[in-house]
Each structure stands twice: as C-alpha cells, then as structure tokens.
Amino acid sequence: TTFCVLRMLHETATRGGGSLSVSLGCCTKRQTEMGDHCLCPKGAAARVVEFTDIKCGHCARLIAELKDMERLLEPGTFSIEPRQFPLDHKCNKAVPAEISDDSNVRCTAAKALICLEGRDEFWTAQRRMFMVGPSLSKEKVLEIAGELAQDKPGIETCVASKETQTKLDQDVAYAMKYELEGTPLVIINGRKVESIGALIYAMILAK
C-alpha cells in the first residue's frame, strides 16, 4: 500500500540521518498574502498546495495519505495549503457548462471549507465530508460545517456571500495557471507534481 511505501521511505531516510518534519493544515494563501496570523513555519523546506473537490475519490485518498505523512514525520518544515476546485460550472466557470452538480454539493462544500479556513475545524470538516462519500448532500455539508463552527447561521451566511465566491474564484484562477485537467492538483514549491502519495513524500525527502 502507499502507506507502506511511505513507511519504507521514512525508515530509509532515518537510517541515513535525515531530518524530516511536517506541519499540516496551518495556513492558507489568503492569510499569507494578506499578512494575517499563520501557524505555518516560515522556513518550511517543502510547501505543498493541494486543490480538491469534495466528491473526488482520488482527493479523499490524497488527504488520507497526507495524514499518513503527518503521523510519520515530526513538526517543523513541511506545510500544506488547502485550496478548492469544485467540479461544478455553477461556481467554477473554468469547468465546462455541461458539467454541473444539480445538488449543489460541490459548490456548497468548497465555500463552507473556505469559510473554515485557518481554523482547526477545517480539517475535521473536510475529513467528515469525505467520509460521507457519494451520499453527501448540501444539507449535510452545512450541518457538518455549522456544528464544528458552532454557528450554522453564520456558515450559511458566509457560504452565500460574494466575498466567499471571490475567494473561490481566486483558487480557480491559481489552479488554472497550472493547466489543471482534474482533481486533485498538487503543487510543491511552485512545481506541479503527480498526486501520488509516495512521490509527494519522496519530493519532501529531497528538500
């Protein structure tokens, strides 16, 4: 399995005296660019940016693999920045018009996660949404995000706001600079890489 490959890579690096570390889920581009408080280590050798869609099975697997890496490595130099790329034309005009989710799950989830950016609850919300799988509904998305934020009305207002759509548009525009063809999209230190856990891990080891 991928986790076994990650374990093997970790043990190899440890025997070689390598010093590795990870800080998962600590900052977003908006915090970094706007000068807001960010918990990411400024000296992180590897900065991973990942774009996901909440109904993308490959995305769910990627997030699980990143969590495996978090368990293997010590805090310090590996940071990850989550961004959204919902595969629905209604909120993402980079997606063809014929690709639309009538349930509005993808758009709602992307916006709800944007509303939770920079908070510990973001990662719990994302994990719970992925765990629900194909049966995830717009109502369930708002329930999960609202419960974790302890403010469902506030989440609903945020999801419906123009400001949140603008933030989503920023994610989409950035992803398209890398000629995104599907999700997940992974960028490490400005370089587009295959979204394969073992490959991502190996690139981190090389930093």
Side-chain angles (χ1 to χ4, degrees), residues 27-38 47 49 51 81 83 117 166-167 170-171 174 177:
C27 71
T28 71
K29 67 186 178 306
R30 280 173 280 279
Q31 290 175 309
T32 301
E33 294 172 355
M34 298 176 69
D36 294 339
H37 177 65
C38 179
R47 181 186 180 192
V49 182
F51 295 80
E81 181 178 306
R83 301 196 186 203
E117 279 184 346
T166 296
K167 291 178 179 180
Q170 292 171 353
D171 281 1
Y174 186 67
K177 291 181 181 179

Side-chain angles (χ1 to χ4, degrees), residues 83-151:
R83 301 196 186 203
Q84 308 301 316
F85 196 91
L87 300 174
D88 188 339
H89 181 77
K90 288 176 183 169
C91 60
N92 181 354
K93 301 310 178 187
V95 173
E98 61 270 20
I99 300 179
S100 185
D101 181 2
D102 292 336
S103 67
N104 204 30
V105 173
R106 287 181 163 94
C107 292
T108 302
K111 293 178 181 181
L113 289 172
I114 285 174
C115 292
L116 291 173
E117 279 184 346
R119 301 169 58 169
D120 291 340
E121 291 84 3
F122 172 93
W123 295 99
T124 303
Q126 184 188 59
R127 177 178 56 82
R128 288 187 184 179
M129 291 178 196
F130 274 131
M131 286 179 64
V132 174
S135 64
L136 184 66
S137 65
K138 174 181 176 180
E139 291 71 27
K140 187 64 176 178
V141 165
L142 294 173
E143 176 187 325
I144 291 172
E147 176 185 336
L148 290 169
Q150 298 183 343
D151 183 9

Side-chain angles (χ1 to χ4, degrees), residues 5 7 31 44 83 88 111 149 152 163 165 191 202:
V5 173
R7 171 65 69 179
Q31 290 175 309
R83 301 196 186 203
D88 188 339
K111 293 178 181 181
K152 186 176 180 181
E163 180 181 4
Q165 179 63 54
R191 176 185 173 187

Side-chain angles (χ1 to χ4, degrees), residues 48 62 65 69 181 184-188 191-201 203:
V48 179
L62 170 66
E65 289 171 347
M69 296 178 206
E181 298 176 352
L185 167 65
V186 177
I187 301 167
I188 299 180
R191 176 185 173 187
K192 179 180 178 180
V193 303
E194 292 291 327
S195 56
I196 300 172
L199 175 60
I200 294 170
Y201 198 91
M203 291 189 69

